[in-house]
Protein backbone atom coordinates (compact mmCIF):
# COMPACT_ATOMS: atom_id res chain seq x y z
CA UNK A 1 0.00 0.00 0.00
CA UNK A 2 1.01 3.64 -0.44
CA UNK A 3 0.78 6.30 2.29
CA UNK A 4 0.82 9.93 1.09
CA UNK A 5 1.34 12.14 4.15
CA UNK A 6 3.48 15.28 4.48
CA UNK A 7 3.93 15.23 8.28
CA UNK A 8 7.13 13.22 8.88
CA UNK A 9 6.21 12.15 12.42
CA UNK A 10 2.74 10.93 11.40
CA UNK A 11 4.14 9.25 8.29
CA UNK A 12 6.80 7.40 10.29
CA UNK A 13 4.37 6.35 13.03
CA UNK A 14 1.70 5.08 10.63
CA UNK A 15 4.24 3.30 8.44
CA UNK A 16 5.68 1.49 11.45
CA UNK A 17 2.26 0.63 12.84
CA UNK A 18 0.95 -0.69 9.53
CA UNK A 19 4.08 -2.73 8.84
CA UNK A 20 3.76 -4.26 12.32
CA UNK A 21 0.26 -5.34 11.24
CA UNK A 22 1.56 -7.08 8.13
CA UNK A 23 1.22 -4.42 5.44
CA UNK A 24 3.91 -3.66 2.86
CA UNK A 25 4.05 0.14 2.98
CA UNK A 26 5.62 2.73 0.68
CA UNK A 27 5.31 6.39 1.60
CA UNK A 28 5.54 9.81 -0.01
CA UNK A 29 5.60 13.32 1.54
CA UNK A 30 4.14 15.22 -1.42
CA UNK A 31 1.36 14.87 -3.97
CA UNK A 32 3.74 14.61 -6.93
CA UNK A 33 5.89 11.96 -5.24
CA UNK A 34 2.73 10.08 -4.32
CA UNK A 35 1.39 10.20 -7.87
CA UNK A 36 4.72 8.96 -9.23
CA UNK A 37 4.81 6.01 -6.79
CA UNK A 38 1.16 5.19 -7.49
CA UNK A 39 1.95 4.87 -11.20
CA UNK A 40 5.28 3.07 -10.77
CA UNK A 41 4.43 0.66 -7.96
CA UNK A 42 0.70 0.09 -8.56
CA UNK A 43 -0.12 -0.34 -4.85
CA UNK A 44 -3.16 -2.33 -3.76
CA UNK A 45 -4.44 0.69 -1.78
CA UNK A 46 -3.61 4.39 -1.22
CA UNK A 47 -4.04 6.32 2.03
CA UNK A 48 -4.20 9.98 1.03
CA UNK A 49 -3.84 12.98 3.35
CA UNK A 50 -5.76 15.98 2.02
CA UNK A 51 -3.43 18.62 3.47
CA UNK A 52 -0.40 18.26 1.21
CA UNK A 53 2.13 21.07 0.66
CA UNK A 54 2.30 21.05 -3.14
CA UNK A 55 -1.30 20.27 -4.13
CA UNK A 56 -4.71 19.94 -2.57
CA UNK A 57 -5.37 16.31 -1.78
CA UNK A 58 -8.73 16.44 -3.55
CA UNK A 59 -6.98 17.43 -6.79
CA UNK A 60 -4.60 14.50 -6.35
CA UNK A 61 -7.56 12.18 -5.79
CA UNK A 62 -8.99 13.32 -9.13
CA UNK A 63 -5.62 12.70 -10.82
CA UNK A 64 -5.37 9.22 -9.31
CA UNK A 65 -8.87 8.40 -10.49
CA UNK A 66 -7.93 9.50 -14.02
CA UNK A 67 -5.18 6.86 -14.24
CA UNK A 68 -6.10 4.13 -11.76
CA UNK A 69 -8.90 2.26 -10.01
CA UNK A 70 -6.78 1.68 -6.90
CA UNK A 71 -8.83 1.90 -3.68
CA UNK A 72 -8.24 5.21 -1.88
CA UNK A 73 -8.83 6.01 1.80
CA UNK A 74 -8.72 9.75 2.48
CA UNK A 75 -7.30 11.01 5.78
CA UNK A 76 -8.80 14.37 6.66
CA UNK A 77 -9.30 16.79 9.53
CA UNK A 78 -12.55 17.96 7.91
CA UNK A 79 -15.46 16.01 9.34
CA UNK A 80 -18.58 17.74 7.98
CA UNK A 81 -21.19 15.66 6.15
CA UNK A 82 -20.93 17.76 3.00
CA UNK A 83 -17.16 17.24 2.88
CA UNK A 84 -17.50 13.48 3.31
CA UNK A 85 -20.11 13.26 0.57
CA UNK A 86 -17.89 15.31 -1.75
CA UNK A 87 -14.88 13.04 -1.14
CA UNK A 88 -16.89 9.89 -1.83
CA UNK A 89 -18.41 11.45 -4.96
CA UNK A 90 -14.92 12.31 -6.21
CA UNK A 91 -13.87 8.67 -5.99
CA UNK A 92 -12.66 7.98 -2.44
CA UNK A 93 -13.54 4.47 -1.23
CA UNK A 94 -13.54 5.46 2.44
CA UNK A 95 -12.27 8.17 4.78
CA UNK A 96 -10.83 8.48 8.26
CA UNK A 97 -10.96 11.64 10.37
CA UNK A 98 -7.84 12.84 12.19
CA UNK A 99 -6.61 12.09 14.75
CA UNK A 100 -6.64 8.32 14.32
CA UNK A 101 -4.42 5.38 15.27
CA UNK A 102 -2.67 2.83 13.11
CA UNK A 103 -5.11 0.23 14.48
CA UNK A 104 -8.11 2.27 13.29
CA UNK A 105 -6.54 2.80 9.88
CA UNK A 106 -5.69 -0.90 9.62
CA UNK A 107 -9.33 -1.80 10.23
CA UNK A 108 -10.44 0.61 7.48
CA UNK A 109 -7.81 -0.80 5.10
CA UNK A 110 -8.87 -4.38 5.70
CA UNK A 111 -12.54 -3.52 5.18
CA UNK A 112 -11.86 -1.68 1.90
CA UNK A 113 -9.60 -4.46 0.60
CA UNK A 114 -12.26 -7.05 1.45
CA UNK A 115 -14.89 -5.12 -0.50
CA UNK A 116 -12.74 -4.38 -3.54
CA UNK A 117 -11.08 -7.81 -3.47
CA UNK A 118 -14.39 -9.63 -3.43
CA UNK A 119 -15.72 -7.67 -6.40
CA UNK A 120 -12.57 -8.31 -8.46
CA UNK A 121 -11.99 -11.90 -7.38
CA UNK A 122 -15.43 -13.06 -8.52
CA UNK A 123 -14.87 -12.02 -12.14
CA UNK A 124 -13.46 -14.35 -14.77
CA UNK A 125 -10.93 -12.85 -17.17
CA UNK A 126 -10.75 -13.46 -20.91
CA UNK A 127 -7.79 -12.41 -23.09
CA UNK A 128 -7.91 -13.74 -26.62
CA UNK A 129 -8.30 -17.50 -26.31
CA UNK A 130 -7.34 -17.46 -22.64
CA UNK A 131 -10.04 -17.69 -19.97
CA UNK A 132 -9.20 -17.59 -16.26
CA UNK A 133 -11.84 -18.20 -13.58
CA UNK A 134 -10.54 -17.33 -10.08
CA UNK A 135 -13.61 -18.82 -8.38
CA UNK A 136 -12.90 -22.34 -9.66
CA UNK A 137 -9.17 -21.69 -10.20
CA UNK A 138 -9.45 -23.06 -13.71
CA UNK A 139 -7.76 -21.70 -16.81
CA UNK A 140 -8.32 -22.72 -20.42
CA UNK A 141 -6.56 -21.88 -23.68
CA UNK A 142 -8.78 -22.13 -26.76
CA UNK A 143 -11.13 -24.29 -24.70
CA UNK A 144 -8.42 -26.70 -23.52
CA UNK A 145 -7.76 -26.83 -19.75
CA UNK A 146 -4.30 -25.70 -18.65
CA UNK A 147 -2.49 -27.79 -16.04
CA UNK A 148 -1.11 -25.02 -13.81
CA UNK A 149 0.49 -25.07 -10.39
CA UNK A 150 -1.11 -22.74 -7.79
CA UNK A 151 1.66 -20.16 -8.29
CA UNK A 152 1.43 -20.36 -12.08
CA UNK A 153 -2.32 -19.80 -11.86
CA UNK A 154 -1.88 -16.78 -9.58
CA UNK A 155 0.77 -15.34 -11.91
CA UNK A 156 -1.38 -15.85 -15.01
CA UNK A 157 -4.46 -14.38 -13.33
CA UNK A 158 -2.56 -11.31 -12.09
CA UNK A 159 -1.18 -10.60 -15.56
CA UNK A 160 -4.46 -11.32 -17.36
CA UNK A 161 -6.42 -9.04 -15.01
CA UNK A 162 -4.05 -6.27 -16.15
CA UNK A 163 -3.91 -7.26 -19.82
CA UNK A 164 -2.00 -4.79 -21.97
CA UNK A 165 -0.13 -3.26 -19.00
CA UNK A 166 3.61 -3.69 -18.51
CA UNK A 167 4.11 -5.29 -15.08
CA UNK A 168 7.48 -5.13 -13.34
CA UNK A 169 9.09 -8.13 -11.66
CA UNK A 170 9.09 -6.20 -8.38
CA UNK A 171 5.31 -5.81 -8.63
CA UNK A 172 4.90 -9.53 -9.31
CA UNK A 173 7.08 -10.43 -6.31
CA UNK A 174 5.03 -8.10 -4.12
CA UNK A 175 1.54 -9.10 -5.22
CA UNK A 176 1.87 -12.72 -6.44
CA UNK A 177 4.62 -13.97 -4.15
CA UNK A 178 3.74 -11.59 -1.27
CA UNK A 179 7.42 -10.61 -0.91
CA UNK A 180 7.42 -6.81 -0.48
CA UNK A 181 11.18 -6.57 0.06
CA UNK A 182 14.04 -8.60 -1.36
CA UNK A 183 13.27 -11.65 -3.42
CA UNK A 184 14.99 -12.69 -6.62
CA UNK A 185 13.96 -11.71 -10.13
CA UNK A 186 15.13 -15.20 -11.13
CA UNK A 187 12.10 -16.65 -9.32
CA UNK A 188 9.80 -14.66 -11.61
CA UNK A 189 11.83 -15.55 -14.71
CA UNK A 190 11.61 -19.27 -13.96
CA UNK A 191 7.83 -19.20 -13.44
CA UNK A 192 7.33 -17.11 -16.58
CA UNK A 193 9.34 -19.69 -18.50
CA UNK A 194 7.16 -22.51 -17.15
CA UNK A 195 4.03 -20.54 -17.95
CA UNK A 196 5.18 -19.85 -21.51
CA UNK A 197 5.77 -23.57 -22.04
CA UNK A 198 2.22 -24.37 -20.93
CA UNK A 199 0.86 -21.65 -23.22
CA UNK A 200 2.75 -23.22 -26.12
CA UNK A 201 5.16 -20.35 -26.71
CA UNK A 202 8.73 -19.26 -26.05
CA UNK A 203 10.40 -15.95 -25.22
CA UNK A 204 11.79 -15.92 -28.78
CA UNK A 205 8.35 -16.59 -30.28
CA UNK A 206 5.84 -15.10 -27.83
CA UNK A 207 2.10 -15.13 -28.29
CA UNK A 208 0.57 -13.93 -25.01
CA UNK A 209 3.55 -13.18 -22.76
CA UNK A 210 5.65 -10.34 -24.13
CA UNK A 211 8.89 -9.28 -22.46
CA UNK A 212 9.53 -5.53 -22.38
CA UNK A 213 13.30 -5.43 -21.99
CA UNK A 214 14.53 -3.65 -18.90
CA UNK A 215 10.97 -3.02 -17.64
CA UNK A 216 8.90 -6.17 -17.16
CA UNK A 217 6.32 -8.35 -18.88
CA UNK A 218 2.97 -7.77 -20.55
CA UNK A 219 0.17 -10.24 -21.25
CA UNK A 220 -1.88 -9.41 -24.33
CA UNK A 221 -3.96 -11.24 -26.91
CA UNK A 222 -2.01 -12.34 -30.00
CA UNK A 223 -2.15 -9.89 -32.87
Amino acid sequence: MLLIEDDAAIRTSLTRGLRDRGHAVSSAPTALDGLRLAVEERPDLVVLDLGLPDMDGLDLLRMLRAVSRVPVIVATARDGDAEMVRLLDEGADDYVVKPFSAAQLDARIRAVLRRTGESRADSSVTVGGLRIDPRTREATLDGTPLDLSPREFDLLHYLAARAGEVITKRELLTHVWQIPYGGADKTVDVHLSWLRRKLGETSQEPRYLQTVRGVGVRLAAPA
Side-chain angles (χ1 to χ4, degrees):
M1 61 159 287
L2 172 62
L3 170 64
I4 306 175
E5 166 63 63
D6 67 310
D7 187 297
I10 294 175
R11 190 170 64 249
T12 299
S13 175
L14 288 177
T15 297
R16 184 184 301 117
L18 291 171
R19 284 176 178 167
D20 288 346
R21 288 166 173 79
H23 298 283
V25 184
S26 297
S27 65
T30 67
L32 292 180
D33 285 340
L35 184 62
R36 176 180 57 81
L37 287 177
V39 172
E40 290 178 357
E41 297 187 356
R42 293 188 178 92
D44 55 359
L45 181 140
V46 173
V47 177
L48 170 61
D49 175 35
L50 287 188
L52 298 171
D54 56 335
M55 183 188 302
D56 186 271
L58 187 58
D59 291 331
L60 178 56
L61 175 61
R62 295 186 184 111
M63 294 174 71
L64 284 170
R65 277 291 161 262
V67 298
S68 174
R69 292 176 293 176
V70 62
V72 177
I73 297 176
V74 171
T76 177
R78 315 165 194 171
D79 60 354
D81 287 348
E83 179 68 11
M84 298 303 107
V85 170
R86 184 165 72 114
L87 291 171
L88 296 172
D89 284 344
E90 291 288 353
D93 293 272
D94 202 352
Y95 62 88
V96 59
V97 178
K98 294 181 175 181
F100 56 85
S101 66
Q104 290 173 313
L105 181 57
D106 174 52
R108 296 276 191 173
I109 290 169
R110 287 185 284 108
V112 168
L113 289 178
R114 277 198 304 272
R115 292 199 304 267
T116 57
E118 286 166 2
S119 65
R120 282 196 292 259
D122 285 344
S123 302
S124 62
V125 182
T126 300
V127 182
L130 269 175
R131 186 175 186 279
I132 302 103
D133 190 336
R135 292 166 298 185
T136 60
R137 294 189 66 81
E138 294 175 344
T140 59
L141 176 60
D142 299 327
T144 301
L146 294 170
D147 183 16
L148 302 176
S149 70
R151 188 73 75 190
E152 289 167 349
F153 181 90
D154 292 341
L155 176 58
L156 181 63
H157 180 237
Y158 190 87
L159 292 169
R162 295 153 184 82
E165 299 180 22
V166 179
I167 309 298
T168 66
K169 293 175 185 177
R170 167 54 46 207
E171 181 177 347
L172 292 173
L173 283 169
T174 298
H175 294 284
V176 177
W177 274 264
Q178 303 297 309
I179 304 175
Y181 305 103
D185 288 356
K186 189 67 175 176
T187 298
V188 179
D189 292 335
V190 168
H191 281 79
L192 286 172
S193 177
W194 292 341
L195 198 51
R196 282 192 174 99
R197 191 177 308 141
K198 293 183 178 181
L199 294 175
E201 60 184 72
T202 66
S203 57
Q204 290 75 32
E205 297 182 2
R207 294 184 64 233
Y208 285 91
L209 291 173
Q210 305 163 3
T211 298
V212 179
R213 191 175 300 278
V215 183
V217 64
R218 172 175 54 219
L219 187 145

